[in-house]
């Protein structure tokens, strides 16, 4: 990860307390606006929820996997943060509406595309809910699968051998394979069988017998 060599503006623990309070306030405000059942988007949960979730995952890629490359060289933290947020939003839009809904959902997995589910007879509102949930679950799985190699294995075997985007791309490629495998084993069978009521569309959850559920 990048080393910004930041220093507490007001010393510790005051800086930590103020930072925590500010982050909590920002989180509460943005949650109420974009994701709260009482907020202005209360009747439009998706795609706002999965968009915010994917922004967090993309941020994890930017910082943990790629070490804020190439923006770590920007000295001003406000400028650096603003640029990375803008890049994050563009990347998130491309991933959701270009890669998942525009490509993968139409040629591989209809569960990732609103249009593909509508063609199969679902209403647009229901399709948005199912697709939003499916894409959000990719993020929930990715919180662990994309971070564990950096945290547990300390970027082995690329640490110190590859620089810049090469190390990040190598780690991202490996953890993406792990993410897809984990999603296919732990999320997809359950989601299709329970949410879509289509047990024939996927293998019955492999853990059903262990938990006493019919498979």
């Amino acid at each position: 990860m990048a080393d910004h060599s930041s220093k507490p503006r007001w010393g510790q623990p005051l800086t930590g307390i103020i930072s925590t309070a500010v982050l909590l306030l920002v989180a509460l405000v943005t949650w109420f606006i974009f994701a709260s059942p009482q907020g202005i988007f209360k009747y439009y949960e998706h795609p706002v929820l999965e968009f915010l979730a994917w922004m967090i995952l993309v941020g994890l890629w930017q910082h943990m996997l790629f070490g804020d490359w190439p923006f770590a060289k920007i000295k001003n933290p406000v400028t650096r943060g603003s640029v990375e947020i803008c890049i994050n939003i563009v990347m998130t839009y491309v991933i959701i509406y270009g890669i998942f809904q525009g490509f993968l959902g139409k040629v591989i997995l209809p569960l990732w595309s609103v249009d593909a589910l509508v063609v199969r007879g679902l209403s647009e509102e229901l399709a948005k809910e199912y697709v939003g949930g499916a894409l959000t679950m990719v993020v929930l799985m990715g919180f662990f699968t994309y971070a564990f190699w950096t945290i547990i294995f300390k970027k082995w075997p690329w640490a110190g051998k590859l620089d810049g985007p090469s190390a990040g791309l190598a780690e991202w490629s490996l953890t993406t394979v792990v993410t897809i495998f984990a999603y296919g084993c732990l999320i997809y069978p359950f989601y299709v069988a329970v949410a879509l009521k289509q047990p024939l569309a996927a293998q019955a959850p492999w853990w059903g017998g262990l938990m006493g559920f019919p498979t």
Side-chain angles (χ1 to χ4, degrees), residues 130 189-202:
Y130 286 157
F190 173 83
Y191 196 86
V192 171
V194 175
L196 299 184
K197 310 299 182 183
Q198 295 180 2
L200 297 180

Side-chain angles (χ1 to χ4, degrees), residues 10 21 57 74 80 89 106 141 177 187-188 211:
W10 301 286
L57 185 59
I74 302 177
R80 181 176 61 243
I89 293 174
K106 293 182 178 180
M141 183 62 65
V177 172
I187 301 297
Y188 179 73
M211 301 300 294

Side-chain angles (χ1 to χ4, degrees), residues 27-59:
L28 290 176
V29 171
T30 53
W31 172 261
F32 180 80
I33 294 175
F34 295 109
S36 171
Q38 288 78 39
I40 60 177
F41 289 104
K42 60 184 179 181
Y43 298 118
Y44 197 50
E45 179 182 5
H46 300 292
V48 174
L49 183 59
E50 69 265 24
F51 200 95
L52 292 175
W54 268 97
M55 283 186 65
I56 298 174
L57 185 59
V58 171

Side-chain angles (χ1 to χ4, degrees), residues 66-182:
F66 290 90
D68 294 310
W69 178 91
F71 311 108
K73 297 180 180 179
I74 302 177
K75 300 301 182 181
N76 188 303
V78 176
T79 302
R80 181 176 61 243
S82 300
V83 171
E84 288 200 65
I85 289 174
C86 292
I87 297 297
N88 184 303
I89 293 174
V90 173
M91 288 179 61
T92 299
Y93 186 90
V94 171
I95 289 170
I96 292 178
Y97 297 104
I99 297 176
F100 277 103
Q101 298 214 39
F103 178 68
L104 295 177
K106 293 182 178 180
V107 302
I108 298 176
L109 198 62
L111 190 59
W112 286 340
S113 172
V114 173
D115 292 340
L117 292 183
V118 170
V119 169
R120 284 161 174 77
L122 273 70
S123 67
E124 183 176 354
E125 181 179 356
L126 193 58
K128 286 181 178 179
E129 181 176 351
Y130 286 157
V131 171
L135 294 184
T136 301
M137 288 182 184
V138 176
V139 174
L140 295 179
M141 183 62 65
F143 284 156
F144 172 78
T145 54
Y146 279 108
F148 85 102
W149 201 263
T150 296
I151 297 173
I152 299 177
F153 290 92
K154 302 299 181 182
K155 297 183 177 293
W156 176 87
W158 304 290
K161 298 180 180 179
L162 296 177
D163 297 325
S166 299
L169 186 59
E171 187 177 4
W172 181 88
S173 300
L174 170 65
T175 49
T176 294
V177 172
V178 175
T179 301
I180 294 174
F181 180 78

